[in-house]
Amino acid sequence: MSGAGSRGCGSPVPQRAPWSLVAATAAFYLVSATSVWTAGAEPMSREEKQKLGNQVLEMFDHAYGNYMEHAYPADELMPLTCRGRVRGQEPSRGDVDDALGKFSLTLIDSLDTLVVLNKTKEFEDAVRKVLRDVNLDNDVVVSVFETNIRVLGGLLGGHSLAIMLKEKGEYMQWYNDELLQMAKQLGYKLLPAFNTTSGLPYPRINLKFGIRKPEARTGTETDTCTACAGTLILEFAALSRFTGATIFEEYARKALDFLWEKRQRSSNLVGVTINIHTGDWVRKDSGVGAGIDSYYEYLLKAYVLLGDDSFLERFNTHYDAIMRYISQPPLLLDVHIHKPMLNARTWMDALLAFFPGLQVLKGDIRPAIETHEMLYQVIKKHNFLPEAFTTDFRVHWAQHPLRPEFAESTYFLYKATGDPYYLEVGKTLIENLNKYARVPCGFAAMKDVRTGSHEDRMDSFFLAEMFKYLYLLFADKEDIIFDIEDYIFTTEAHLLPLWLSTTNQSISKKNTKILVSSYSSFTSSKTSNFASNIIFIWHVFFSLPVITFSREESFRSGAKPPLRARDFMATNPEHLEILKKMGVSLIHLKDGRVQLVQHAIQAASSIDAEDGLRFMQEMIELSSQQQKEQQLPPRAVQIVSHPFFGRVVLTAGPAQFGLDLSKHKETRGFVASSKPYNGCSELTNPEAVMGKIALIQRGQCMFAEKARNIQNAGAIGGIVIDDNEGSSSDTAPLFQMAGDGKDTDDIKIPMLFLFSKEGSIILDAIREYEEVEVLLSDKAKDRDPEMENEEQSSPENDSQNQSAEQVSSSSQEVDLVDQESSEENSLNSHPESLSSADMDKAVSISPSEQTSNPTENHETTNLNGECTDLDNQLQEQSETEEDSSPNVSWGKKVRPIDSILADWNEDIEAFEMMEKDEL
Ligand code: DMJ
């Protein structure tokens, strides 16, 4: 179909436009989007729509079926390891895990999707399972916001459709409001969170113990995000109106009233984070994405559902402010609530993609079209919407946890305009999901949209929202067994019946007004520093008062420590002894890195303490020098053999030596474990690794030594697997393997590093399938599904049997695509990420890798604003869709290395600027 192409917004915002040009390009964009809208796209046939609808059904079955088979009753499916994510049994991911309450989250979140997708029988089964298996009384601390939108909303959506089905007379005849009773039980469990003077809820609650009791392990928080406090009214009001228990709606209204009172009075904007006790804005940046998004959504939808004009008035006031300050069509850029004419940052986050959908609900279609189109350009460039992206559409945060917001807006825009263009957009979303996110056991979030690597997570909202919106997009009225127009979508796409507006209306009159003037203003806390997410490898604590020399003088005298940093080996007992004498202690971190801490007071003498300081200084210098020398982006290990067929992509750390995968084509081969497994001596099984990619365990000797040993045995590449059990790139910052301080030019094969969890995916695959073939590259390669069979029988696959002599030429390192020197390609070093003193010297990598998913959870405080120098950021780039897309067929197409490196450079720059930023 020509629809998608006909939109004609190929480069809406010139990639290299300096900031001053953005307004001009935005104007161009407006004209472009509008003219195409009126032109329209070719209509899509009923058959094509049905085909796409069926595809959505099949995809849902794949996601839901794998969850039910391999994960249930766990909260979520881990699609790479094909098992359930049980909180406490997996390494903590921080705030993201607060959505998991050991209450079969994905099942509850999927309930009403089953009905929308016409899976009534499955819905009936699912409801029975919820009633039979789900316990809401677990001793677990959960996010109030997430529990409300996903679990309370899921139960209410399930209840709404259960009673609809029951009334129809065929299904659910046995149903007697059991889901509603569960919802009520959960509602009461959440109520203690509102026990604050402001009425704003605590961000977290213990399902069993509530808030304050010592056993609760929560209740000391002071801040929450605006969306966290302002996204309760739909579920709470529905609960009140369904049950007659008015307290829920009252509490949610009170929180909303408070937020309204606290809006910045001159700009009418709200900040991202608020102090739940004082009402002071903690973060004063303001946008329509992470941290605020669904607050606005719920004001408008509360008006729709509850028919209370005050909500509409508030929404309209905010909306005017948004359109005045934040909307810079087609962009939506955060501003400061007190200085709304000043942008707070130059990037946008993925959550704001819901906004065009909300604009449709408001009836403001034109800006909705423009912003949606802008977002679609970003998606066309990166296949998915990265968690954050710059005004010139580069990646700012590279993850994509299969968020549904863009599909949501696409659906609403299609409903509003009837323009078949949006069907084509939906088709692209389906294709991309199948092409890049589908794995044998479900759909995996993208860890990095640039490399195409996966994360072992499939969030419940993917089932609650994505499939609903995609299915509805292609469905005709007769494809759905009820009238969707009778319902409103919550922020999690749960369905609440509009007839609730005429139930228990008296509640709306009991509006509790908060006297905000009585709250004294406290000194507002400083914006939390983004850099605090970074794990500092070296911590140096100087206890200068106990020693008698002047540090500066001493260093100036040029004295050398008895042990030079460059010579230090953590396995050398003599070195450890010297360290001890100097008051330097070694702390082995869980993820395998080592922290060096110096307490001068613990040194044997003041001279030793002085030496210790010099040693630490040298270490810091050495490490930052190493950082400067080389900062490489992460690499990908893609499993290409049956049954993975390239669908599982693992995030790997690069090496500062050996074949540079960013300059050469990928290396492909079968894997074999080396013996000894640590690869620290001559291999005793050279015949097993010859022509293959050797698996070696981390530890015992230098990375370079391992590389030499496997290379000598004829391996065409190596994968070092972390020996720290449970380590994972989901939870630990990736690093690059440093050389051994000597010349490593003799190492010709590519070497990559995998954390233990990713490594065990390969090891498990070997156990199960024996022959496992992988591709080592800088970016996962697309795979045409039809090629799967061909691939298996391809003579190319015989390459793994190549002899040792053939290794360097046959490891597919042909087509040197980038001749730039590594100096030109190397990225700026990152000041916080310093090198490890582990035996295998490791250097931290990529700030974006270290960025915990900041937009994931509304309670996060990671989204600091920044004012990057756009002239620097908008570097040379001529990115056509073609050359920036990872749609690289197997080993044929030249990779867009410039684009990848530019993206990485931008990450580093943005990251560094973020630290400087203070709002
Ligand atoms: C969903 O859980 C909800 O839509 C929420 O409002 C924010 N976004 C996530 C999915 O991205």
Side-chain angles (χ1 to χ4, degrees):
M1 297 290 283
S2 61
S6 70
R7 186 106 320 210
C9 297
S11 60
V13 179
Q15 310 299 319
R16 295 160 64 176
W19 181 235
S20 56
L21 284 185
V22 168
T25 51
F28 159 73
Y29 197 100
L30 185 148
V31 172
S32 171
T34 311
S35 62
V36 177
W37 180 38
T38 48
E42 277 180 38
M44 188 181 271
S45 69
R46 170 96 177 117
E47 292 69 46
E48 172 89 350
K49 282 170 71 180
Q50 272 173 346
K51 198 177 126 208
L52 290 163
N54 287 336
Q55 226 177 319
V56 176
L57 292 177
E58 187 281 327
M59 290 162 71
F60 174 82
D61 288 344
H62 183 64
Y64 182 72
N66 275 297
Y67 164 73
M68 290 307 287
E69 190 176 340
H70 301 290
Y72 180 78
D75 283 318
E76 284 180 349
L77 169 71
M78 295 169 69
L80 298 184
T81 44
C82 205
R83 59 196 161 96
R85 181 181 292 283
V86 179
R87 205 160 159 197
Q89 286 179 20
E90 302 294 331
S92 166
R93 300 174 301 168
D95 289 352
V96 184
D97 283 339
D98 289 345
L100 313 177
K102 300 189 175 178
F103 36 34
S104 302
L105 176 66
T106 302
L107 180 65
I108 293 178
D109 227 2
S110 303
L111 286 178
D112 50 10
T113 306
L114 289 165
V115 186
V116 172
L117 269 52
N118 245 322
K119 295 177 178 293
T120 329
K121 178 75 192 55
E122 288 90 332
F123 173 70
E124 194 145 11
D125 289 348
V127 174
R128 286 188 199 278
K129 284 199 175 74
V130 170
L131 301 180
R132 187 192 66 197
D133 300 340
V134 173
N135 176 17
L136 296 173
D137 197 40
N138 301 310
D139 176 12
V140 54
V141 176
V142 293
S143 151
V144 172
F145 166 80
E146 298 290 357
T147 307
N148 173 59
I149 65 166
R150 302 198 203 194
V151 187
L152 189 56
L155 293 170
L156 291 171
H159 170 70
S160 303
L161 298 190
I163 53 177
M164 177 275 296
L165 287 170
K166 187 176 179 182
E167 208 176 297
K168 278 181 178 284
E170 196 183 341
Y171 293 97
M172 301 299 290
Q173 295 307 302
W174 53 269
Y175 182 70
N176 213 4
D177 291 353
E178 290 88 344
L179 289 176
L180 183 60
Q181 293 317 315
M182 280 184 85
K184 194 172 171 187
Q185 188 198 349
L186 182 60
Y188 279 118
K189 284 189 167 295
L190 297 181
L191 281 188
F194 293 80
N195 192 8
T196 57
T197 42
S198 66
L200 298 179
Y202 280 95
R204 292 179 193 82
I205 195 157
N206 185 307
L207 286 175
K208 194 179 182 69
F209 298 111
I211 288 284
R212 291 230 176 83
K213 297 189 195 92
E215 318 89 281
R217 305 186 302 280
T218 186
T220 53
E221 299 92 339
T222 53
D223 308 338
T224 197
C225 74
T226 301
C228 303
T231 311
L232 296 147
I233 187 70
L234 293 188
E235 293 81 3
F236 274 45
L239 185 56
S240 284
R241 291 173 183 227
F242 270 133
T243 62
T246 57
I247 188 166
F248 303 108
E249 185 169 338
E250 284 163 17
Y251 275 48
R253 276 175 181 269
K254 196 175 153 191
L256 274 181
D257 291 345
F258 188 84
L259 288 174
W260 173 246
E261 292 295 333
K262 296 305 287 185
R263 74 192 181 283
Q264 210 290 323
R265 296 302 176 106
S266 54
S267 67
N268 282 320
L269 293 171
V270 289
V272 170
T273 319
I274 190 165
N275 184 307
I276 55 175
H277 304 299
T278 66
D280 290 337
W281 290 110
V282 179
R283 280 189 45 189
K284 302 181 185 83
D285 43 329
S286 183
V288 295
I292 301 182
D293 48 4
S294 44
Y295 162 64
Y296 294 137
E297 179 183 359
Y298 270 35
L299 283 179
L300 183 56
K301 290 185 176 176
Y303 165 69
V304 176
L305 184 68
L306 310 176
D308 185 333
D309 289 347
S310 73
F311 290 131
L312 182 61
E313 283 156 23
R314 290 180 198 180
F315 174 79
N316 281 337
T317 305
H318 284 312
Y319 189 78
D320 287 349
I322 291 166
M323 296 314 281
R324 179 176 310 187
Y325 304 119
I326 294 168
S327 170
Q328 299 174 32
L331 312 175
L332 289 161
L333 287 173
D334 286 17
V335 297
H336 191 290
I337 56 174
H338 292 104
K339 294 179 207 144
M341 301 308 283
L342 282 185
N343 287 129
R345 57 174 75 120
T346 56
W347 45 269
M348 291 163 273
D349 64 64
L351 286 162
L352 61 73
F354 90 102
F355 198 67
L358 189 65
Q359 290 180 306
V360 168
L361 190 62
K362 147 107 183 121
D364 203 2
I365 308 290
R366 177 183 285 218
I369 291 175
E370 292 161 12
T371 299
H372 178 275
E373 186 56 27
M374 178 272 291
L375 295 168
Y376 191 43
Q377 298 303 322
V378 182
I379 290 174
K380 285 209 268 190
K381 192 175 164 199
H382 302 291
N383 301 321
F384 298 99
L385 211 51
E387 276 297 71
F389 48 93
T390 59
T391 48
D392 62 339
F393 306 170
R394 289 176 190 241
V395 168
H396 189 79
W397 285 318
Q399 306 99 310
H400 170 74
L402 310 181
R403 288 196 188 280
E405 282 78 4
F406 183 76
E408 174 184 351
S409 285
T410 305
Y411 166 65
F412 285 114
L413 269 167
Y414 179 60
K415 294 279 280 186
T417 63
D419 188 340
Y421 171 71
Y422 295 108
L423 299 176
E424 296 296 336
V425 173
K427 188 176 170 184
T428 304
L429 298 184
I430 291 174
E431 282 167 4
N432 287 352
L433 282 170
N434 279 323
K435 211 164 171 183
Y436 305 109
R438 191 176 177 126
V439 294
C441 186
F443 289 83
M446 305 307 295
K447 182 166 188 63
D448 189 324
V449 296
R450 295 162 301 190
T451 61
S453 60
H454 293 132
E455 204 173 332
D456 201 3
R457 72 187 263 201
M458 184 177 83
D459 290 75
S460 69
F461 53 66
F462 184 56
L463 288 97
E465 297 191 64
M466 183 71 92
F467 293 111
K468 226 177 251 158
Y469 289 125
L470 286 178
Y471 184 75
L472 288 170
L473 179 65
F474 298 106
D476 285 335
K477 221 173 165 45
E478 56 270 26
D479 295 328
I480 309 161
I481 54 174
F482 62 100
D483 192 349
I484 199 84
E485 313 277 328
D486 291 340
Y487 296 81
I488 192 162
F489 292 88
T490 68
T491 192
E492 188 79 357
H494 292 308
L495 297 173
L496 298 175
L498 288 169
W499 56 255
L500 285 173
S501 64
T502 51
T503 316
N504 290 327
Q505 272 177 320
S506 57
I507 297 168
S508 61
K509 307 283 173 272
K510 294 189 197 166
N511 229 338
T512 324
K513 187 119 178 119
I514 303 288
L515 283 175
V516 287
S517 52
S518 63
Y519 291 91
S520 59
S521 57
F522 282 60
T523 322
S524 64
S525 342
K526 218 179 110 187
T527 307
S528 75
N529 197 322
F530 184 82
S532 62
N533 291 310
I534 304 304
I535 301 172
F536 285 75
I537 302 178
W538 300 102
H539 283 225
V540 187
F541 301 110
F542 296 108
S543 308
L544 284 173
V546 301
I547 51 178
T548 51
F549 69 101
S550 140
R551 187 175 153 213
E552 288 70 25
E553 269 170 33
S554 171
F555 286 142
R556 249 180 267 129
S557 72
K560 302 275 183 289
L563 175 62
R564 309 305 306 273
R566 62 168 181 265
D567 301 327
F568 172 66
M569 295 280 287
T571 40
N572 185 326
E574 279 172 33
H575 290 183
L576 295 177
E577 198 45 48
I578 300 173
L579 250 53
K580 200 174 163 198
K581 224 172 144 214
M582 298 189 298
V584 178
S585 47
L586 235 71
I587 301 166
H588 291 272
L589 300 178
K590 267 198 191 144
D591 62 12
R593 290 169 305 150
V594 172
Q595 231 175 25
L596 287 187
V597 183
Q598 197 218 14
H599 291 283
I601 200 165
Q602 287 167 6
S605 68
S606 62
I607 305 283
D608 291 309
E610 193 179 334
D611 285 341
L613 278 175
R614 287 195 200 94
F615 173 80
M616 294 299 279
Q617 180 75 13
E618 272 196 10
M619 266 296 182
I620 289 166
E621 276 161 15
L622 183 71
S623 105
S624 80
Q625 193 186 323
Q626 282 174 346
Q627 295 281 308
K628 274 186 196 126
E629 277 166 13
Q630 246 175 347
Q631 259 301 342
L632 303 168
R635 308 284 188 234
V637 174
Q638 192 168 12
I639 312 181
V640 295
S641 51
H642 168 85
F644 304 95
F645 298 120
R647 296 204 181 281
V648 169
V649 186
L650 308 169
T651 299
Q656 291 180 346
F657 52 85
L659 184 79
D660 182 350
L661 289 163
S662 69
K663 291 184 179 177
H664 299 73
K665 277 199 168 177
E666 65 274 2
T667 292
R668 178 176 174 158
F670 283 80
V671 294
S673 291
S674 58
K675 280 189 188 153
Y677 188 30
N678 64 28
C680 289
S681 54
E682 191 180 331
L683 263 51
T684 57
N685 64 338
E687 68 297 339
V689 300
M690 184 172 292
K692 296 191 179 171
I693 292 170
L695 303 178
I696 331 127
Q697 192 179 39
R698 182 185 188 184
Q700 309 291 319
C701 61
M702 309 291 281
F703 291 125
E705 200 177 330
K706 294 172 194 287
R708 288 191 183 98
N709 285 329
I710 61 167
Q711 179 172 282
N712 291 341
I716 60 170
I719 300 175
V720 178
I721 297 176
D722 197 8
D723 58 340
N724 295 285
E725 220 180 304
S727 68
S728 157
S729 66
D730 294 351
T731 46
L734 204 59
F735 61 83
Q736 50 193 348
M737 296 181 283
D740 54 3
K742 300 175 202 140
D743 186 1
T744 50
D745 286 352
D746 57 315
I747 303 173
K748 304 287 182 205
I749 59 173
M751 295 290 292
L752 293 183
F753 175 86
L754 288 180
F755 279 113
S756 137
K757 201 188 122 185
E758 284 80 20
S760 64
I761 290 173
I762 295 186
L763 296 172
D764 290 348
I766 297 177
R767 271 189 284 279
E768 197 153 347
Y769 309 106
E770 284 175 25
E771 298 278 77
V772 174
E773 191 180 18
V774 299
L775 188 79
L776 312 183
S777 64
D778 66 336
K779 191 170 195 175
K781 304 296 177 278
D782 286 359
R783 188 168 166 83
D784 187 343
E786 288 107 64
M787 288 176 69
E788 284 179 7
N789 295 331
E790 199 187 304
E791 202 61 49
Q792 280 171 299
S793 54
S794 156
E796 200 186 36
N797 283 356
D798 293 334
S799 65
Q800 72 270 12
N801 298 322
Q802 61 208 314
S803 67
E805 290 75 41
Q806 292 173 303
V807 165
S808 58
S809 60
S810 62
S811 57
Q812 299 175 26
E813 52 184 75
V814 284
D815 284 4
L816 202 63
V817 293
D818 191 289
Q819 299 287 353
E820 285 176 10
S821 72
S822 61
E823 226 174 6
E824 281 168 304
N825 282 344
S826 70
L827 303 174
N828 300 334
S829 67
H830 171 255
E832 279 81 28
S833 45
L834 303 172
S835 85
S836 159
D838 202 355
M839 286 162 290
D840 302 319
K841 283 200 176 163
V843 180
S844 298
I845 187 176
S846 163
S848 73
E849 281 301 329
Q850 321 219 3
T851 312
S852 65
N853 191 352
T855 51
E856 171 54 34
N857 194 297
H858 285 260
E859 291 156 26
T860 182
T861 50
N862 292 350
L863 282 165
N864 290 344
E866 53 130 3
C867 303
T868 47
D869 175 357
L870 265 185
D871 287 344
N872 279 344
Q873 278 193 20
L874 305 177
Q875 294 281 320
E876 181 188 333
Q877 185 192 36
S878 60
E879 292 163 299
T880 63
E881 268 163 44
E882 233 190 16
D883 69 15
S884 60
S885 148
N887 293 353
V888 185
S889 61
W890 293 83
K892 283 202 183 112
K893 199 165 163 188
V894 174
R895 289 178 311 92
I897 183 67
D898 292 343
S899 148
I900 300 171
L901 288 167
D903 272 351
W904 282 100
N905 260 325
E906 175 142 351
D907 272 7
I908 305 265
E909 280 167 21
F911 182 79
E912 285 174 350
M913 289 308 294
M914 242 180 263
E915 282 173 63
K916 290 182 199 148
D917 176 61
E918 276 196 19
L919 283 173

